């Protein structure tokens, strides 16, 4: 078998515009009693998609891609919240398992603000997140009050798989490039071309699901240059036949 990599979203496709205009914003208003707590007023500005309001966890994902298995994601992200640097993340292997109940992995950035929080980059796994209809705090399945916290309410369960404290680079008030490779139960995370996380999940790993950017209680996060490359595997016979049918 030969690995075939296909781009489903690339920077040449004005990716943030595609996300803003065609992907689903989560959580959905129809699933919530008080949507104002999740309305981050996402905005599209040139080649950037950004948050403008300080609310609970919210983001975008493509629900049409939940059957995707192995893929690579790349993006640039910026946070200008100089106070707390509440968390912002890129979710993957994401599924909505029942009405308003999500599971996923996420690479989360937090810390580095003026209140002295330690900069952190973490790989987290959320087994179940039911966005709280009555939670008045600015929380989510991943929060960053004093460090990365998973399941800060009774509506989320999960764990931190790997956390890098003081990653040796600025993650606040500067653009950061991140690449995530999800292959089987192995996940690699590169930040500014440096391999920070290489983790193999042997505990009921998520092996398929969609992807997308999100933030929690951070009104100053920007994403751009988002690329997704899906990996598939074809036998040599399939490749030969495909080549013959094209000629």
């Amino acid at each position: 078998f030969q690995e075939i990599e296909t781009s489903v979203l690339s920077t040449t496709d004005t990716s943030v515009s595609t996300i803003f205009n065609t992907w689903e914003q989560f959580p959905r208003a129809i699933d919530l009693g008080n949507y104002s707590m999740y309305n981050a007023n996402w905005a599209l500005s040139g080649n950037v998609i950004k948050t403008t309001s300080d609310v609970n966890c919210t983001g975008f994902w493509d629900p049409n891609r939940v059957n995707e298995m192995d893929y690579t994601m790349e993006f640039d992200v910026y946070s200008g919240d100089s106070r707390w640097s509440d968390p912002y993340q890129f979710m993957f292997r994401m599924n909505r398992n029942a009405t308003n109940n999500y599971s996923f992995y996420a690479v989360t950035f937090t810390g580095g603000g003026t209140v002295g929080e330690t900069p952190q980059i973490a790989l987290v796994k959320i087994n179940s997140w039911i966005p709280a209809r009555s939670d008045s705090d600015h929380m989510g399945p991943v929060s960053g009050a004093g460090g990365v916290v998973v399941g800060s309410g009774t509506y989320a369960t999960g764990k931190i798989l790997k956390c890098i404290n003081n990653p040796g680079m600025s993650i606040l008030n500067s653009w950061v490039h991140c690449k995530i490779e999800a292959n089987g139960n192995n996940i690699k995370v590169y930040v500014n071309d440096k391999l920070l996380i290489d983790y193999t999940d042997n505990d009921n790993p998520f092996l398929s699901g969609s992807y997308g950017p999100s933030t929690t209680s951070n009104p100053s996060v920007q994403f751009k240059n988002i690329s997704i490359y899906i990996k598939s595997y074809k036998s040599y016979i399939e490749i030969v036949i495909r080549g013959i049918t094209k000629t």
Side-chain angles (χ1 to χ4, degrees):
F1 286 84
Q2 179 173 332
E3 180 181 298
I4 306 295
E5 194 170 66
T6 304
S7 170
V8 296
L9 188 73
S10 71
T11 56
T12 58
D13 297 330
T14 58
S15 59
V16 293
S17 177
T18 298
I19 291 171
F20 188 80
N21 292 310
T22 67
W23 287 17
E24 178 184 294
Q25 186 172 335
F26 69 87
R28 300 177 298 183
I30 61 174
D31 295 325
L32 300 168
N34 182 1
Y35 184 65
S36 63
M37 294 188 302
Y38 293 90
N39 186 6
N41 290 308
W42 286 85
L44 181 63
S45 178
N47 67 338
V48 168
I49 186 173
K50 60 182 181 180
T51 54
T52 60
S53 296
D54 186 359
V55 295
N56 293 10
C57 182
T58 177
F60 289 86
W61 78 311
D62 185 353
N64 297 314
R65 292 286 182 174
V66 294
N67 293 322
E68 302 295 359
M69 299 181 68
D70 296 344
Y71 46 82
T72 299
M73 301 142 281
E74 293 195 55
F75 58 92
D76 296 325
V77 64
Y78 174 95
S79 174
D81 187 347
S82 60
R83 303 162 300 153
W84 307 95
S85 186
D86 283 313
Y88 44 102
Q89 51 267 330
F90 205 92
M91 300 173 172
F92 57 102
R93 301 269 175 86
M94 183 175 182
N95 285 277
R96 183 163 51 219
N97 302 316
T99 301
N100 202 29
N101 189 337
Y102 301 84
S103 63
F104 53 84
Y105 293 109
V107 173
T108 298
F109 299 79
T110 190
T114 57
V115 295
E117 292 180 346
T118 300
Q120 294 179 324
I121 300 174
L123 173 65
V124 302
K125 181 181 182 180
I126 301 299
N127 295 309
S128 174
W129 171 47
I130 304 174
R133 299 187 180 201
S134 59
D135 186 358
S136 59
D137 294 330
H138 292 181
M139 295 295 186
V142 183
S143 66
V148 176
V149 178
V150 168
S152 57
T154 58
Y155 50 89
T157 60
K159 60 183 177 180
I160 300 171
L161 300 179
K162 183 76 172 181
C163 185
I164 306 298
N165 295 314
N166 292 311
M169 63 190 73
S170 174
I171 62 173
L172 188 65
N173 293 314
S174 61
W175 283 101
V176 174
H177 181 73
C178 182
K179 181 171 76 169
I180 306 167
E181 296 178 345
N183 294 302
N185 63 340
N186 179 258
I187 299 166
K188 292 183 174 65
V189 180
Y190 300 81
V191 179
N192 290 343
D193 299 320
K194 178 182 178 181
L195 177 62
L196 288 187
I197 296 173
D198 185 348
Y199 187 88
T200 300
D201 186 4
N202 292 315
D203 183 13
N204 295 314
F206 304 148
L207 297 177
S208 64
S210 191
Y211 35 71
S214 69
T215 70
T216 304
S217 189
N218 194 325
S220 59
V221 174
Q222 304 177 49
F223 291 90
K224 68 178 183 179
N225 296 332
I226 299 174
S227 300
I228 310 291
Y229 297 93
I230 304 295
K231 294 180 180 180
S232 61
Y233 303 90
K234 303 290 185 182
S235 69
Y236 288 109
I237 293 177
E238 289 177 292
I239 294 171
V240 171
I241 292 175
R242 185 178 178 184
I244 292 174
T245 57
K246 284 186 175 181
T247 59

